Amino acid sequence: MSTGGGSSKVALVGLGYWGEKLLRNLAVLVDQESIVAVDVLSERQRLLAPAYPAATFAGSREAALEDDRVRGVIIATPVVTHADLARQALEAGRHVLVEKPLATSARQARELVLLGQARSLTVMAGHTFLFSPRVEAVKAILERGKIGRLHYATTSRLNLGLYRRDIDVIWDLAPHDFSIVFHLFGERPTVVQTTAQSSVGTGVPDVAFINLSFPSGAIASVLVSWRAPKKVRNIVVVGEDGMIVYDDTQPDEPVKIYDRGVVSTESASFGEHQLTYRYGDTVSPYISAQEPLARELAHFLACMDDAGQACLSDGWFGYEVVRALEAAELSWKLGGVPVTVGPSRRRSRSGRVDLGLADIAE
């Protein structure tokens, strides 16, 4: 992105917990003069302004929409405001990066993507883990076929709090693991099934078990919780020839490859398959220490400058994550009924609910 002489700017809307992190990383990538930081709370502006004396601080989104020098808008506001703010920015001719999730419904997400396409503007979802060197390392291992054909993955994202008033634990934490699993698998789920509960009696789920089925036959289990006394950030990917364990809480050796598996051979005497176990080495590859958020922002700036560049977490990817979240939420509300993410909405003979394109038609 060109930033010389203040010729173009980037606006950041929302200076809360995550917005502050975005601002810190953005200030490394572009000149402070190129930043417009927006928050309706003057206290947040007062606290952050001394660290960024050359940036422009404002209390209204109009600062991002009426200044023609602003080419891109980064949205880090409460989830329920994402779709509306992104739509306004796109209608004003701005590229947008929206923190996860892209919207609160698949219909909204699809409308944003189509609006961006119609105006030749970048729509990017802020799925930061896709830019993690650790996730990149796991993806590279899978692409090299180190563990063979994928069978399943399990993920655990647990912590004690923070409870949020605007969304439940599914919409808060599951977008991270959905985005990682979709990226690693290279496909989207066809069936989603959720069991969840509110363990403190608020009626808002604070723990959820989500099962995903994929077209290839692979499956995944996602556990998210605000009620665990210990922080857990763990992903296990199991293939035909081995297993990968990715523990994001480990500063050293966060990714390990286990060269172990089950070998099936046909018995000459009985004509039956016999199972034996194969034990190999455990390897932990070197992974560079780069901040995913900085890489995500740099990618957004590059996508803004090059209309032909494919965004790793583009609007369609964000839409697919929202679609799965919507299905997970519906499954929980229906008492754990599997929801098929298919071409139409109807109750099938199996008792599943189909949630698909009919719900988000143009």
Side-chain angles (χ1 to χ4, degrees), residues 189-194 211-215 217-219 327 330-332 334-356 359:
T190 54
V191 179
V192 181
Q193 185 273 329
T194 305
N211 297 316
L212 309 169
S213 299
F214 293 84
I219 58 176
L330 178 60
S331 175
W332 161 68
L334 292 175
V337 173
V339 172
T340 300
V341 185
S344 63
R345 183 170 185 164
R346 63 189 184 280
R347 188 172 297 277
S348 66
R349 293 181 181 178
S350 67
R352 294 174 176 168
V353 172
D354 292 339
L355 179 64
D359 297 304

Side-chain angles (χ1 to χ4, degrees), residues 242-292:
M243 177 176 71
I244 304 170
V245 177
Y246 160 39
D247 187 345
D248 205 43
T249 65
Q250 294 299 317
D252 302 315
E253 300 187 346
V255 175
K256 291 183 178 180
I257 311 167
Y258 294 83
D259 182 19
R260 303 173 188 175
V262 178
V263 179
S264 176
T265 58
E266 188 172 327
S267 171
S269 56
F270 301 105
E272 298 178 350
H273 290 285
Q274 304 295 312
L275 300 180
T276 59
Y277 297 94
R278 176 182 53 77
Y279 298 95
D281 295 330
T282 299
V283 178
S284 182
Y286 167 78
I287 300 175
S288 64
Q290 295 177 303
E291 187 163 1

Side-chain angles (χ1 to χ4, degrees), residues 133-151:
R134 297 176 175 188
V135 173
E136 283 187 348
V138 176
K139 180 69 171 176
I141 294 166
L142 294 175
E143 289 180 340
R144 293 197 300 268
K146 297 290 287 185
I147 66 168
R149 182 171 64 87
L150 287 177
H151 288 325

